[in-house]
Amino acid sequence: MTTETQNWTAVCKVGDILPGTGVCALVDDQHVAVFRLGKDNFYAIDNIDPRSGVSVLSRGLIGNLGEHIVVASPIYKNHFDLRTGECLEAPEHSVRAHRVEIRGEDVLVALA
């Protein structure tokens, strides 16, 4: 699917997300966690922790596990790769990773 044919949704402004943090956005009635690392790196995954069913992943701690850039769920501490949505401890609990694009000052998300 090309960028032109994906359904992009503007979720916030670049300045709304402090580097090293995440925010939750509602995209087509789905909770999406959008993270900013450094100045220009943005990632988006589902915000619902699959083990607890609670919309909390945007509140997790961001870090690295080996080569993986991850967020730790605030509830069960599972680590989710921000590039792929893979749950490193239990792949059956993985979430979807979504595309993120910056247009000017807008952060846009396209659901996977």
Side-chain angles (χ1 to χ4, degrees):
M1 184 176 285
T2 65
T3 300
E4 291 76 27
T5 60
Q6 290 188 330
N7 200 13
W8 292 96
T9 301
V11 296
C12 65
K13 300 291 185 188
V14 169
D16 293 336
I17 309 175
L18 296 174
T21 67
V23 298
C24 179
L26 191 61
V27 179
D28 293 338
D29 292 327
Q30 297 184 45
H31 294 212
V32 175
V34 183
F35 299 94
R36 180 179 183 185
L37 278 74
K39 184 178 176 186
D40 298 323
N41 295 317
F42 291 83
Y43 302 93
I45 62 173
D46 289 337
N47 196 45
I48 306 245
D49 179 332
R51 287 189 65 198
S52 67
V54 180
S55 186
V56 294
L57 295 182
S58 63
R59 301 284 185 178
L61 293 176
I62 301 168
N64 291 66
L65 282 179
E67 63 191 42
H68 299 275
I69 300 170
V70 298
V71 62
S73 171
I75 297 179
Y76 289 112
K77 312 304 182 202
N78 288 99
H79 296 92
F80 297 89
D81 188 308
L82 294 183
R83 294 182 185 124
T84 66
E86 178 185 10
C87 177
L88 300 183
E89 292 83 6
E92 68 273 18
H93 293 299
S94 296
V95 297
R96 295 176 302 161
H98 308 288
R99 295 189 60 182
V100 179
E101 185 171 294
I102 306 303
R103 292 185 193 161
E105 290 299 314
D106 294 324
V107 179
L108 295 95
V109 172
L111 296 179

